[in-house]
Amino acid sequence: MPPKAPKKLEELWATDVFTLSKMQECLPKSIFKSLKNTIQSGEQLDSSVADVVAVAMKDWAISKGALYYAHVFYPLTNATAEKHDGFVSVQSDGSVISEFTGKLLVQGEPDGSSFPNGGIRSTFEARGYTAWDVTSPAFIMETDNGSTLCIPTVFVSWTGEALDKKTPLLRSNAAMNKAATKVLKLLGNQNVAPVNSSCGAEQEYFLVDANFANSRPDLLLAGRTLFGKPSAKGQQFDDHYFGAIPERVQVYMQDVEERLYRLGIPAKTRHNEVAPGQFEIAPFFEAANVATDHQQLLMTILRNTAKKHGLVCLLHEKPFAGINGSGKHVNWSVGNPTQGNLLDPGDTPHSNAQFLVFCGAVIRGVHKYGPLLRAVVATASNDHRLGANEAPPAIISVYLGSQLEDVFEQIRQGEVTGCKTKGVMNIGVDTLPVFAKDPGDRNRTSPFAFTGNRFEFRAVGSGQSVAGPLVAMNTILADSLNWIALKLEAELAAGCELNSAIHKILKEVMDEHGAVVFNGNGYSKEWHQMAVEERGLANLRTAADALPVLKQEYIEELFNKMGVLSPVELASRFETYSEQYIKSIEVEAKLVISIAKTAIYPAATRYLSELSNTILSLKELGLDFDTESIEKVSSLTKSMMDLVSKLSLALSQHDFDSPEEHMQYLAKTIRPLMDSVREYVDALEGEIADDLWPLPTYQEMLFIK
């Protein structure tokens, strides 16, 4: 049966979202105006509107088939959490009515102790609050079990600390807006609308047939294959990248997109990625807070929809060894309705003072706080990807492109005379159009690259929330803009002309922070040596190296000064993320031991037994047989089990003075032992009869769709 034709976009778009237009239809004018001002201008929410909005929201949700509502929040696990409640109110006569009040809309109370909180709350201190985020629209989530009204919220403790990823994001945007507004006014702008950050996150993922995935304990529990001999064919032919999308996958993608469009999520691009079985979906830009919520929804929908198609969607950064892993390239910019995109250079960036100031602020921020950017993408799973050929290195640098690098180098030298212009692409075939080409190339090896009118943070992991990276980028930009504002005020007060003051400040930025600008090959050994030894950039190779950055005094001072995270909240992040790293490695190590003992070892001994019996039978018939294979399998099996015993003993070590010491032990002792076990298991896979091998192979998982 051919796949059903997709519905028209106009029929689908945001039908399951309580949008501004729907609010306008069902709310009194004064209530709608107040709510709209809060959403669009950042004005404080008038608490008196909550009851009216709650009734309208409930009636709309019930008309869509919802009997429950849920405050949706984003704890420090990179996952989405929700607590469902019914619209049910029991009356004194035993009857029930549907009820939803402003108090229920504005505030919820999930358990504040059972989620990771880094020591902010003790187990016996259970109270936590969710609070309605009016700037992110409510929506209906449909499942086979029914529909639920979902209300995006923040999640805080009874003592007021942020226990989630949304609260710091909102604070960081407010800090950035305040600093950007100050700079824009110093640049001579009179009318300055609130400045917001925007985000478009390219999501990479793998699809595996569920029959195979469900037979792999490592995929089910760790999200990646701990064992697996490379397929004879991998990605070496580059024939999968942007190739024809398999029919089964395209039908899956259409179902995903239909669900996304109903939720107002602007999925724009889909294609095959580099590795076999790997794909990508990319949305259009949105306000960072809404984009973050939508990113969480996107990951949920990718996973849930896969189940309906007999597939499993893998969001681990490196589910298969030897081929490209998956990232989440976060495209980030800042702007407002009055000044537009503040990172748009225009056709003459050398004379665009506003752009140069904001771009210079980014350069300063990335150089000064590069280790922080590395820390916010540090996870046990992302360690498998960062530094490899498919991902940027762990050294944080900025790629500007040849045009902007030349402009900023001119600033450093003291005089700006012009800039490279766009060229013309003439392919040499009369029937093909002549078109303008960009003044500079792109660089896929840069972790933080300027790509025309935004920066692309390429080091974010596939399974991560984009909130942490956005918080870091907004905060370091706010810090740099405040620094520039102070410098500008001082120069202008001393009688310096505005353009001269800007040039002087940007020259100081390049003199002090230009070392972070690098347009070359980020994969090369020469760059790694130059970056560390000559430019003083940090090379934090593992999460165990990167996460302790969150404890450094200058990072604590940054977040505290900007009002984004208090010292207590920042410390809780380190405790939580280090604990997640430790638990992730320990779970994987236990899986290595379990699978080796209960699946690989029995398969090897069964093969040896069958092979031995075959050899004896052949000898009885007077036939000779080479015993090399039996000796090799026996040797590999013994070596594997010796290493498994060594790994078990090493894993029992629990006497550590700090999380930092524990993480380093796991990174430098446990992980190498796991890799050593894998070497022998993968070698055995190449020797043992296929019908006896207990795990689905890479060839099956990557190529059968």
Side-chain angles (χ1 to χ4, degrees):
M1 180 183 294
K4 64 177 181 179
K7 295 180 181 178
K8 292 181 179 180
L9 177 61
E10 296 79 5
E11 297 174 1
L12 293 171
W13 187 252
T15 53
D16 290 345
V17 185
F18 196 52
T19 60
L20 275 174
S21 60
K22 292 185 177 71
M23 295 180 196
Q24 190 171 14
E25 291 175 4
C26 57
L27 292 175
K29 286 185 178 180
S30 60
I31 298 293
F32 174 72
K33 183 178 179 181
S34 175
L35 199 63
K36 184 179 179 181
N37 285 339
T38 298
I39 295 171
Q40 295 186 342
S41 304
E43 296 183 9
Q44 187 169 2
L45 178 66
D46 183 351
S47 58
S48 65
V49 311
D51 278 327
V52 181
V53 174
V55 172
M57 194 182 288
K58 177 206 70 176
D59 291 344
W60 171 77
I62 289 176
S63 74
K64 302 286 291 182
L67 298 177
Y68 282 77
Y69 69 92
H71 275 198
V72 177
F73 55 100
Y74 310 99
L76 303 181
T77 57
N78 282 321
T80 301
E82 52 195 46
K83 177 191 175 196
H84 292 219
D85 288 287
F87 292 122
V88 59
S89 177
V90 180
Q91 304 300 293
S92 58
D93 62 356
S95 62
V96 296
I97 60 171
S98 296
E99 184 177 57
F100 188 50
T101 65
K103 182 179 179 181
L104 295 174
L105 168 62
V106 168
Q107 179 184 326
E109 191 178 328
D111 192 322
S113 65
S114 297
F115 290 98
N117 59 62
I120 286 178
R121 303 290 283 159
S122 300
T123 304
F124 65 89
E125 296 172 316
R127 195 179 297 278
Y129 298 116
T130 52
W132 177 34
D133 173 18
V134 67
T135 64
S136 187
F139 57 91
I140 298 293
M141 178 58 81
E142 289 184 352
T143 68
D144 292 340
N145 296 324
S147 301
T148 303
L149 170 66
C150 295
I151 303 160
T153 66
V154 300
F155 179 41
V156 297
S157 71
W158 180 76
T159 46
E161 291 91 358
L163 299 176
D164 67 337
K165 291 180 176 287
K166 179 185 276 285
T167 303
L169 177 56
L170 294 172
R171 292 174 183 167
S172 72
N173 206 73
M176 185 275 299
N177 169 47
K178 184 177 179 181
T181 300
K182 187 188 302 182
V183 169
L184 287 171
K185 289 184 176 179
L186 286 169
L187 294 178
N189 297 285
Q190 301 300 317
N191 179 26
V192 180
V195 179
N196 198 359
S197 57
S198 58
C199 169
E202 306 166 30
Q203 176 72 62
E204 296 173 342
Y205 61 95
F206 280 85
L207 291 175
V208 176
D209 189 286
N211 292 313
F212 298 136
N214 292 333
S215 299
R216 295 280 316 211
D218 45 3
L219 277 184
L220 291 179
L221 300 183
R224 75 177 181 104
T225 55
L226 299 171
F227 305 122
K229 182 177 71 70
S231 168
K233 178 186 176 183
Q235 64 186 53
Q236 62 267 48
F237 291 102
D238 297 318
D239 55 342
H240 190 260
Y241 195 36
F242 282 91
I245 300 171
E247 182 178 343
R248 182 183 183 189
V249 174
Q250 185 158 335
V251 173
Y252 160 76
M253 287 177 168
Q254 288 174 189
D255 278 1
V256 167
E257 288 154 4
E258 179 174 329
R259 183 69 237 145
L260 294 178
Y261 291 155
R262 290 174 67 90
L263 291 167
I265 300 175
K268 186 173 177 62
T269 302
R270 68 184 183 200
H271 61 83
N272 288 5
E273 254 299 332
V274 173
Q278 186 186 32
F279 307 93
E280 180 178 302
I281 183 170
F284 202 68
F285 270 73
E286 299 180 279
N289 179 43
V290 174
T292 300
D293 291 355
H294 281 172
Q295 240 294 309
Q296 294 296 116
L297 266 173
L298 172 63
M299 290 192 288
T300 298
I301 289 166
L302 283 173
R303 289 189 180 108
N304 290 347
T305 307
K307 296 175 184 177
K308 298 179 180 180
H309 291 262
L311 298 165
V312 170
C313 176
L314 303 176
L315 297 179
H316 192 285
E317 283 71 25
K318 194 78 167 179
F320 301 99
I323 62 172
N324 279 15
S326 296
K328 182 144 50 192
H329 301 166
V330 175
N331 296 278
W332 167 77
S333 190
V334 293
N336 64 6
T338 47
Q339 279 70 48
N341 181 355
L342 299 173
L343 289 175
D344 187 350
D347 293 330
T348 55
H350 65 287
S351 61
N352 188 339
Q354 183 172 278
F355 163 76
L356 292 174
V357 165
F358 277 81
C359 188
V362 173
I363 292 170
R364 176 187 180 272
V366 175
H367 182 246
K368 188 172 182 180
Y369 300 107
L372 171 63
L373 291 175
R374 173 66 182 92
V376 297
V377 298
T379 64
S381 53
N382 213 14
D383 276 0
H384 294 278
R385 171 177 162 267
L386 289 181
N389 287 337
E390 82 277 2
I395 304 167
I396 303 296
S397 63
V398 173
Y399 170 79
L400 293 178
S402 55
Q403 183 192 50
L404 291 184
E405 184 184 40
D406 177 59
V407 170
F408 276 97
E409 185 57 33
Q410 290 181 58
I411 290 172
R412 191 207 299 261
Q413 297 300 325
E415 183 180 5
V416 181
T417 59
C419 69
K420 298 178 181 179
T421 58
K422 292 183 177 181
V424 173
M425 178 65 72
N426 189 334
I427 302 175
V429 179
D430 290 342
T431 56
L432 296 178
V434 175
F435 56 88
K437 70 173 183 177
D438 292 299
D441 204 347
R442 296 180 65 184
N443 187 324
R444 66 186 297 272
T445 71
S446 174
F448 206 89
F450 186 76
T451 55
N453 59 3
R454 62 194 183 273
F455 281 94
E456 182 182 14
F457 191 15
R458 295 173 56 85
V460 183
S462 173
Q464 283 189 272
S465 165
V466 299
L470 287 169
V471 167
M473 290 187 285
N474 287 343
T475 305
I476 65 177
L477 178 59
D479 178 76
S480 287
L481 290 173
N482 281 335
W483 179 84
I484 288 174
L486 286 173
K487 292 280 184 178
L488 263 180
E489 287 171 341
E491 293 292 338
L492 295 174
C496 187
E497 187 265 334
L498 178 61
N499 284 331
S500 297
I502 291 171
H503 187 277
K504 185 176 180 180
I505 292 166
L506 290 176
K507 185 179 187 314
E508 184 176 347
V509 167
M510 291 307 295
D511 287 341
E512 296 293 326
H513 305 288
V516 79
V517 177
F518 178 66
N519 277 11
N521 181 7
Y523 295 158
S524 70
K525 293 180 180 178
E526 294 79 9
W527 164 240
H528 284 223
Q529 183 177 351
M530 179 200 306
V532 176
E533 296 180 7
E534 298 178 24
R535 301 198 184 193
L537 304 181
N539 186 6
L540 304 172
R541 297 175 182 274
T542 69
D545 299 326
L547 286 174
V549 169
L550 300 177
K551 296 183 71 176
Q552 294 188 12
E553 186 176 346
Y554 82 111
I555 300 298
E556 179 183 304
E557 181 182 347
L558 167 72
F559 282 117
N560 197 34
K561 179 175 63 176
M562 292 295 111
V564 175
L565 288 168
S566 70
V568 170
E569 289 171 326
L570 182 60
S572 77
R573 268 68 186 167
F574 169 75
E575 294 295 332
T576 298
Y577 300 149
S578 60
E579 182 180 44
Q580 288 175 345
Y581 176 86
I582 290 166
K583 288 180 177 178
S584 295
I585 301 296
E586 289 183 342
V587 165
E588 288 188 351
K590 291 174 182 176
L591 274 169
V592 165
I593 295 167
S594 173
I595 296 172
K597 283 184 173 181
T598 63
I600 308 303
Y601 180 73
T605 54
R606 193 175 299 120
Y607 177 68
L608 287 170
S609 176
E610 290 190 10
L611 200 57
S612 298
N613 291 334
T614 300
I615 291 172
L616 289 174
S617 298
L618 290 172
K619 284 184 176 180
E620 289 176 0
L621 295 172
L623 300 174
D624 195 15
F625 192 88
D626 187 0
T627 60
E628 182 180 343
S629 178
I630 197 168
E631 291 169 358
K632 186 173 182 180
V633 171
S634 178
S635 176
L636 289 171
T637 303
K638 182 181 185 308
S639 297
M640 177 193 73
M641 293 309 295
D642 288 344
L643 279 169
V644 166
S645 298
K646 190 174 180 180
L647 176 60
S648 298
L649 182 62
L651 196 60
S652 65
Q653 167 69 18
H654 285 292
D655 185 18
F656 302 102
D657 294 331
S658 66
E660 293 95 319
E661 184 183 342
H662 197 171
M663 286 192 293
Q664 288 294 340
Y665 178 76
L666 292 170
K668 294 177 179 178
T669 301
I670 298 299
R671 277 284 307 278
L673 279 172
M674 292 166 56
D675 292 341
S676 295
V677 175
R678 177 176 192 145
E679 287 182 21
Y680 287 101
V681 173
D682 292 355
L684 282 168
E685 184 180 346
E687 298 293 329
I688 293 176
D690 187 63
D691 63 320
L692 293 178
W693 190 251
L695 302 174
T697 65
Y698 271 27
Q699 178 177 307
E700 293 166 326
M701 291 185 287
L702 291 172
F703 290 98
I704 297 179
K705 293 290 179 285

